Amino acid sequence: MSWETPETFMFEGHRICWGALGEGEPVVLMHGTPFWSYEWARLAPLLALERKVYFFDMLGYGNSDRPDADVSLGVQNRVLAALMKHWHLNAPDVVAHDFGGATALRAHLINRVDYNSLTLIDPVAIRPWGSPLVQHVRHHEAAFAGMPGYMHEAILPAYLKSAMKREATDEVLAPYAEQWIGGCQQASFYRQIAQMDQRFTDEVQGRYSEIRCPVMILWGEDDEWIPIERGRELHAMIPGSQFISVPGAGHLVQEDASEAIAFHLQKFLRTRGRA
């Protein structure tokens, strides 16, 4: 499946790659880590039948620049706020997965970026978070970044497979794995992990009751990276939010149950009066 982010936006000297499909009211799709905007390749065309769909690769991911610099959650919310201004969007619907969820929450609560609605899919939002690999790499970044390529190429598919409930074929894994293979890409993979810090979610975790738009939370019932109990906790923290568990899905729900996301999302967006 081909997927392109043909447009560019400069943020503090770094290139952010993005794309858009369709016409109509805007919806912004935000990917997680260690993924990129390709995770929306099946959903975006469906939404684009009725909406204008924006998507982008976060700084340090996908086709965007991967500087030896800050690519943490501490900068991603500023990237999003700047992109919203660049796109001239005022309160779009936002759909955010994993780190994209944390970024959307931080942009909303810290940068005062308004949304018409917010859909969170297995977001990084409540401590503690971080897989065992993440915890280990954070303490040994240099060793992992400099390991022989063949070792990294053995670790990476196993890690990605753990994000999915269904058995992932090489064809399914390739678009995600290829983004992190090669000298610079390998270093950037471990750099973004090393910069993961719970203080960035701590800064907003106590403020979820201040969210200023309708919220729907979707969560894979078999998420091994962030257990569904975190989703239920988050739901309790956001007054009026909807919580929907997705059977047969792991952390990367887009691959395990894209049809379920499409069904629930289109229903939710229609209730917001913009679909």
Side-chain angles (χ1 to χ4, degrees):
M1 182 184 297
S2 62
W3 182 255
E4 296 181 352
T5 49
E7 308 295 335
T8 59
F9 167 71
M10 296 304 295
F11 174 81
E12 297 181 0
H14 303 305
R15 187 177 56 125
I16 304 298
C17 291
W18 64 276
L21 297 172
E23 295 295 334
E25 295 292 342
V27 58
V28 177
L29 306 180
M30 301 177 59
H31 70 84
T33 181
F35 314 109
W36 61 301
S37 60
Y38 172 83
E39 70 177 47
W40 303 111
R42 279 187 280 178
L43 184 62
L46 293 176
L47 293 176
L49 296 174
E50 299 176 336
R51 309 291 293 269
K52 183 159 187 179
V53 182
Y54 294 85
F55 46 88
F56 69 101
D57 293 329
M58 293 194 293
L59 180 63
Y61 297 80
N63 295 320
S64 293
D65 283 349
R66 304 189 188 196
D68 185 7
D70 185 6
V71 296
S72 71
L73 285 172
V75 71
Q76 301 296 349
N77 53 292
R78 294 194 293 110
V79 173
L80 176 61
L83 266 175
M84 291 286 199
K85 289 183 179 179
H86 177 68
W87 291 332
H88 303 290
L89 297 185
N90 179 27
D93 293 293
V94 172
V95 184
H97 172 238
D98 183 79
F99 255 38
T103 297
L105 289 165
R106 286 175 55 83
H108 184 65
L109 295 169
I110 295 175
N111 304 97
R112 304 294 296 177
V113 177
D114 287 321
Y115 311 138
N116 183 60
S117 71
L118 176 60
T119 298
L120 297 168
I121 304 175
D122 297 62
V124 171
I126 297 175
R127 71 162 40 236
W129 50 264
S131 67
L133 176 65
V134 164
Q135 300 301 330
H136 195 64
V137 170
R138 286 189 61 206
H139 294 97
H140 306 282
E141 178 195 1
F144 279 89
M147 76 166 64
Y150 70 88
M151 294 178 65
H152 170 67
E153 290 175 31
I155 291 172
L156 186 58
Y159 181 53
L160 291 170
K161 284 181 180 180
S162 70
M164 306 176 207
K165 173 64 175 178
R166 70 182 177 118
E167 185 65 29
T169 63
D170 291 342
E171 183 180 5
V172 169
L173 291 174
Y176 301 109
E178 288 170 356
Q179 292 292 309
W180 301 110
I181 292 175
C184 294
Q185 287 88 343
Q186 177 176 327
S188 67
F189 176 78
Y190 295 109
R191 181 184 306 122
Q192 54 92 18
I193 292 179
Q195 292 182 11
M196 293 180 187
D197 194 326
Q198 289 187 137
R199 68 186 173 92
F200 296 123
T201 51
D202 288 347
E203 287 175 358
V204 292
Q205 181 171 327
R207 299 180 56 189
Y208 294 154
S209 63
E210 301 174 24
I211 293 175
R212 305 179 299 279
C213 66
V215 175
M216 177 174 67
I217 303 166
L218 299 178
W219 214 284
E221 289 185 358
D222 298 296
D223 188 338
E224 294 183 8
W225 287 14
I226 312 177
I228 195 169
E229 289 74 23
R230 294 279 182 276
R232 295 191 176 100
E233 291 176 35
L234 179 62
H235 169 49
M237 291 179 175
I238 304 176
S241 62
Q242 299 180 38
F243 180 81
I244 299 171
S245 61
V246 182
H251 185 70
L252 191 56
V253 187
Q254 295 89 331
E255 289 293 344
D256 284 333
S258 60
E259 298 85 357
I261 295 179
F263 173 79
H264 293 298
L265 181 58
Q266 289 176 323
K267 180 180 179 181
F268 179 61
L269 292 180
R270 288 188 176 109
T271 66
R272 308 273 61 81
R274 280 192 166 186

